Amino acid sequence: AQSVTQPDIHITVSEGASLELRCNYSYGATPYLFWYVQSPGQGLQLLLKYFSGDTLVQGIKGFEAEFKRSQSSFNLRKPSVHWSDAAEYFCAVGGGILTGGGNKLTFGTGTQLKVEL
Amino acid sequence: DTEVTQTPKHLVMGMTNKKSLKCEQHMGHRAMYWYKQKAKKPPELMFVYSYEKLSINESVPSRFSPECPNSSLLNLHLHALQPEDSALYLCASSQERLAGVREQYFGPGTRLTVT
């Protein structure tokens, strides 16, 4: 069964500092990996995705993530954090096509990012 | 356009009420999803529709009844809910591709409070 671990429940960084959010996954085949961001009371916004190819993927809002198969990791990074980046961040793995159609995402428990001004 | 819309934004209902949540997308996606999200938790999958047919029901109580009237619309009918059903209900959609998983696009959610 697939699973996702986000080891950090809360992270606080200063505005302008760099950021790295950790994500480890467990999946038997080639994983489809995603990072989503959620502001309070809002839906989830897709930041970036990894399906195959280049292991460093660029996303929206200046975020990037690196897929490391040997470490089963897909960490999210940003070189300089803005106060507006404060939100909940979810890593997710896609587990293949469902028999009846559609696909199922398994989410990590999330990391709450606080940005200090 | 990667927009999924949901109405209403907020809903307060009593335990004997009947109400419906609505979701719409115009991205041509043929897979649509309902999720339930409690505070400080990740979304939990409830239902998956593929080509307007129910693909997955994650053992959701029958007081939640999904409906997919066409490829753009997804409804969630609510009846005799319990206070513990209070949550943020998220709709999502994705392309259907036989070859692999596709990203899901989420709506802003409906904040449901059951009194």
Side-chain angles (χ1 to χ4, degrees), chain A residues 6 14 22 26 34 43 54 83 99 101 115:
Chain A
Q6 293 181 249
S14 299
R22 296 184 291 165
S26 173
F34 308 88
D54 194 346
W83 64 266
T99 302
V115 180

Coordinates of all heavy atoms in Angstrom, one line a residue, chain A residues 6 14 22 26 34 43 54 83 99 101 115:
Chain A
Q6 N 5.1 13.2 6.0 CA 5.6 14.5 6.1 C 6.1 14.7 7.6 O 5.3 14.9 8.5 CB 4.6 15.6 5.7 CG 4.2 15.5 4.3 CD 3.2 16.6 3.9 OE1 2.0 16.2 3.6 NE2 3.6 17.8 3.9
S14 N 11.8 32.8 8.7 CA 11.7 34.2 8.5 C 11.5 34.6 7.1 O 12.0 33.9 6.2 CB 13.0 34.9 9.0 OG 13.2 34.6 10.4
R22 N 9.9 18.6 3.9 CA 10.2 17.2 3.6 C 9.0 16.3 3.3 O 7.9 16.5 3.9 CB 11.0 16.6 4.7 CG 12.4 17.3 5.0 CD 13.1 16.6 6.1 NE 12.5 16.8 7.4 CZ 12.8 16.1 8.5 NH1 13.6 15.1 8.4 NH2 12.2 16.4 9.6
S26 N 6.1 5.9 0.1 CA 6.3 4.5 0.0 C 5.3 4.0 -1.1 O 4.1 4.2 -1.0 CB 5.9 3.8 1.3 OG 6.0 2.4 1.1
F34 N 3.0 14.8 -6.0 CA 2.4 16.1 -6.1 C 2.7 16.9 -4.8 O 2.8 16.3 -3.7 CB 0.9 16.0 -6.3 CG 0.4 15.1 -7.4 CD1 0.2 13.8 -7.2 CD2 0.2 15.7 -8.6 CE1 -0.2 13.0 -8.2 CE2 -0.2 14.9 -9.7 CZ -0.4 13.5 -9.5
G43 N -9.6 25.8 -0.8 CA -9.3 24.5 -1.4 C -7.8 24.3 -1.6 O -7.0 25.1 -1.2
D54 N 13.0 14.7 -15.8 CA 13.9 15.5 -15.0 C 13.5 15.4 -13.5 O 12.3 15.7 -13.2 CB 13.9 16.9 -15.5 CG 15.0 17.7 -14.9 OD1 15.6 17.3 -13.9 OD2 15.2 18.8 -15.4
W83 N 5.8 36.4 3.0 CA 4.8 36.2 4.0 C 3.6 35.5 3.5 O 2.9 34.8 4.3 CB 4.5 37.6 4.7 CG 3.8 38.5 3.7 CD1 4.4 39.5 3.0 CD2 2.4 38.6 3.4 NE1 3.5 40.1 2.2 CE2 2.2 39.6 2.5 CE3 1.3 37.9 3.9 CZ2 1.0 40.0 2.0 CZ3 0.0 38.2 3.3 CH2 -0.1 39.3 2.4
T99 N -9.9 0.7 -10.9 CA -10.5 -0.2 -11.8 C -11.7 0.4 -12.6 O -11.9 0.3 -13.8 CB -11.0 -1.4 -11.1 OG1 -9.9 -2.0 -10.4 CG2 -11.7 -2.4 -12.0
G101 N -12.1 3.6 -13.0 CA -11.8 4.9 -13.6 C -11.4 5.9 -12.5 O -11.7 5.7 -11.3
V115 N 5.4 32.1 8.6 CA 6.4 33.0 8.2 C 6.5 34.2 9.1 O 5.5 34.9 9.3 CB 6.1 33.5 6.7 CG1 7.3 34.4 6.2 CG2 6.0 32.3 5.8

